[in-house]
Amino acid sequence: MSEHHHLRIEKPPKVSVGPKSVTTASKMILKAMPPWKALRLLGKLNQKKGIDCPGCAWPDPDKRSKIGEFCENGVKAIAEEAQHKLAGEDFFKLHTIDSLRKKSDYWLGHQGRLAQPMIKKEGSARYEPIAWEEAFETIGNHLKSLSHPDEAVFYTSGRTSNEAAFLYQLFVRKYGTNNLPDCSNMCHESSGIGLSETLGIGKGSVTLQDFEHAEVILIFGQNPGTNHPRMLSSLEKAKRKGAKIIVINPLKEVALMKFKNPQKINGWISKGTEIADLYLQIRINEDVALLKAWLKLLLQDENNLDMDFIRDKTSGIEALKADLANHELEDLIRQSGLSKEDVLLSAHWLSAKNKIIACWAMGLTQHVNAVDNIREIVNLLLLKGSIGKQGAGTCPVRGHSNVQGDRTMGIWERPTKAWTDKLKEAFNFDPPQSPGYNVVETIEAMNQNKVSFFMALGGNFLPAAPDTLYTEQGIRKCELTVHISTKLNRTHLAPGKISLILPCLGRTDKHIQNGKEQVVTVENSMGVVHGSHGSLTPPSKLLKSEPEIVASIAAAALGNDDINWAGLVEDYDNIRALIAKAVNGFENYNERLKRDNGFELPNGARKGEFNTPSKKAVFTVNQLSEKIPDGHDYVMMTIRSHDQFNTTVYGMDDRYRGVFGGRNVVFMNKEDMQSESLSQGDIVELSNNYKISRKVAGFAVVPYDIPKGCVATYFPEANPLVPLHLHARGSHTPASKSVGVNVRKVK
Ligand SMILES: Nc1nc2c(c(=O)[nH]1)N[C@H]1C(S)=C(S)[C@@H](COP(=O)(O)OP(=O)(O)OC[C@H]3O[C@@H](n4cnc5c(=O)[nH]c(N)nc54)[C@H](O)[C@@H]3O)O[C@H]1N2
Ligand SMILES: Nc1nc2c(c(=O)[nH]1)N[C@H]1C(S)=C(S)[C@@H](COP(=O)(O)OP(=O)(O)OC[C@H]3O[C@@H](n4cnc5c(=O)[nH]c(N)nc54)[C@H](O)[C@@H]3O)O[C@H]1N2
Ligand SMILES: [Mo]
């Protein structure tokens, strides 16, 4: 609780980005590396032939700023990775695993880059060095010893390049399992499921250019000022061209209200651009109620709708109308927590316009009815014919910089038949057909002793997952855990009986194979595939690239395999030649990559072609939010602060929400505080009681402009409260934005 000595709460600022963001980022990068290195890196960020920013998956504009595309959180992401400091043999000699567990995530992340392969042997209390070859042999032998390939699980996080991801899934399927859970399972899985079912493709349909033609942009459940800062430039441009922006979010996120563009000098001195024309402060998880209200209002007059589109391109409108007839407008508005005026005004704007873009992120995907959220947005766009035309469409804003690419490369526990058929044809083996474990199922299977081997290609599984205690218990039951990582993290500290840490090159590092510099490729949020050219000398000579590590493990586990794994990684062009053979849309991959901006993958919905069984876009009937179980007073969302990347804590401040020096806080409505007799800074315990009772203690109360009955905490501190089995219907995405909790003052 000592952290609260430093906690300072201020009024949130009125404008985002601007000069403050440049100074904050500069300070952070200069702490991590000398100025010459910082300048070199910044000049390469998101430039053609430069480094794809590991910060998020927002696409780069065709025309880029000469000084580098500045983004505060992009700079923080590379400062975090390109640290000068090293955590190697000496570091691990100093600390037992138990002593490291007592440190904060911030401390763990600031011990430098992992420098050499390490092993925790059975019964040992610490990690010690191991040679690469021995590490690969240990893994290969263990995998060969399992009685069934399904006893092994292979997790992926979304920074992994296309090359590493493709090799990984090929190896895992040749080994014989589809146990390929990934961070997507906790992230945009609900979007993928909802969009595939209704529009025939799990990805968004818009391009960056569409933002310049949109008449209305809806931004649901997303905080781009922190998580996708480069999106703000697109929104600013859209506003200048006359688009109206409607934000739907329980919190007033400052960057969605006012933004000063750091790319432009007048952005520094002006008052900033107002982003939202209307800010709908909805109650947590009541988006379907609002959407249904809009649908009802639009359906009152055919002139509001695109009747030709509905007739020619869609199916299911009658069932939708019948469902809406069961709901009263007044009830829906009341449930949303919004004022009638605001709902009517926004519906009026939607009725008059036809080019609508809907953007969303975790505020919609992490609820029990998350897939319903996405499908209800599709209903709205279909009524308006706002799909498959310029200035309109779906825009799920992805998280990790290559999370979309990893899925395109086959990282999926439920591969389609088309995918496995193509693998079979290209590689002449029988890929497993039965579905593998997703994240939630992995945790359950571990706890039931069905999993003996857990490997992670990146990420930080333990704190990212729901029900931290149960997840930790599961991981510790494994015989062997393997972590391919750049930085020390909490999952390394919950080892299986034996545990390996295999340190890899990061996005900023040069990949040299056979004396030749290599390029890796990634896919952004809008389906453009392009290269990323690391430019720094790797911090330690003992690091290997992800493709090389994966290939070496494959060779060790599969023995006499007909794929020349070592030969493949000698030149990444060889891997891309395989991808070209096995993945639709990647024909002539190597040649097309040489084009400056990369290339766009096929996207039916973008052209108004829907790859559903009926070849039509599908209207669906969706459910309103679930009630929080009795005995819980508040619904809690777990969100990101401005100083973190998922489980990586860059710093202790959340500047845009006025919170400094601490992360164990709970944002509450002032009236709720009054009724609980709570004052700012009071220390509370948060608890809940689903099937299992859970609590976290030592959270300081922060009064905030948030709807009554709703509270917010930071991820991952509040993850112990997210029940494992509270997840989205259809996608299994943990409902980490709508968890029932109680708040109790600690005397
Ligand atoms: N700097 C930085 N960049 C990142 C990340 C990071 O941690 N740091 N993470 C990356 C990843 S993996 C991802 S997935 C994205 C995440 O990007 P976001 O989705 O923007 O991240 P969250 O902080 O989870 O924010 C969710 C937003 O949804 C709102 N919200 C919560 N519940 C509801 C609801 O029921 N309805 C509505 N309408 N809104 C709701 C919250 O108030 C918040 O503004 O960012 C990516 N980029
Ligand atoms: N309660 C709650 N839980 C959530 C969320 C939430 O909003 N609320 N969000 C969910 C979401 S959207 C996501 S995406 C997941 C994130 O889950 P993960 O993707 O598993 O977690 P990260 O924190 O992004 O992973 C950070 C680690 O990745 C490693 N790393 C960084 N760069 C590289 C690299 O280039 N290569 C390799 N091999 N390793 C690297 C570092 O060791 C670092 O410690 O968390 C989910 N969990
Ligand atoms: Mo994510």
Side-chain angles (χ1 to χ4, degrees), residues 667-674 703-704 706-710:
F667 296 94
M668 282 186 86
N669 178 289
K670 282 188 186 143
E671 287 178 40
D672 287 336
M673 283 173 60
Q674 249 169 16
Y704 210 77
I706 184 172
K708 264 170 71 177
C710 300

Side-chain angles (χ1 to χ4, degrees), residues 24-25 28 71-81 642-643 650:
T24 310
M28 224 172 251
C71 159
E72 176 186 340
N73 278 351
V75 174
K76 288 181 193 163
I78 58 170
E80 183 77 19
E81 175 172 297
H642 194 59
D643 271 2
Y650 299 144

Side-chain angles (χ1 to χ4, degrees), residues 81 155 157 159 183 186-187 362 366 400 457-461 464 484-487 489 504-506 546 638 640 645-648 715 719 722 736-737:
E81 175 172 297
Y155 175 71
S157 168
R159 262 193 205 176
C183 65
M186 300 182 266
C187 183
M362 296 305 100
Q366 299 175 330
H400 268 296
L457 180 53
N460 190 4
F461 189 83
I484 302 173
S485 315
T486 50
K487 301 281 296 287
N489 68 41
C504 67
L505 298 175
E546 290 179 342
T638 53
R640 291 153 172 82
F645 188 91
N646 297 342
T647 66
T648 300
F715 141 60
N719 281 43
V722 183
S736 45
K737 296 274 193 283

Side-chain angles (χ1 to χ4, degrees), residues 275-303:
I275 297 287
D277 293 275
L278 187 61
Y279 208 112
L280 301 179
Q281 238 179 318
I282 197 156
R283 288 173 50 204
I284 293 177
N285 197 18
E286 297 300 356
D287 300 82
V288 173
L290 169 65
L291 282 155
K292 280 197 194 297
W294 280 345
L295 297 179
K296 262 185 102 74
L297 287 162
L298 290 174
L299 278 163
Q300 285 173 356
D301 181 352
E302 280 197 359
N303 290 321

Side-chain angles (χ1 to χ4, degrees), residues 68 122 137 142 158 189 195 200 229 231 389 396 399 427 451 456 467 513 573 576 586 591 611-612 641 675 679-680:
E122 192 164 353
E137 225 179 275
H142 184 83
E189 195 75 62
L195 290 173
M231 179 176 173
K389 70 173 173 213
F427 298 102
V451 175
D467 198 341
Q513 300 288 350
D573 277 1
R576 284 186 287 269
F586 285 81
E591 291 88 274
N611 193 21
T612 55
S641 83
S675 60
S679 313
Q680 171 171 313

Side-chain angles (χ1 to χ4, degrees), residues 168-227:
Y168 193 53
Q169 64 81 37
L170 180 60
F171 147 56
V172 170
R173 296 201 162 99
K174 288 202 99 190
Y175 175 66
T177 180
N178 279 320
N179 284 344
L180 283 159
D182 71 339
C183 65
S184 243
N185 294 153
M186 300 182 266
C187 183
H188 265 295
E189 195 75 62
S190 311
S191 308
I193 301 281
L195 290 173
S196 299
E197 187 185 330
T198 52
L199 300 175
I201 183 166
K203 303 178 183 184
S205 73
V206 299
T207 65
L208 210 47
Q209 288 71 39
D210 284 321
F211 280 78
E212 297 178 29
H213 301 277
E215 294 169 325
V216 180
I217 300 174
L218 302 169
I219 304 176
F220 289 91
Q222 192 203 346
N223 180 21
T226 288
N227 298 314

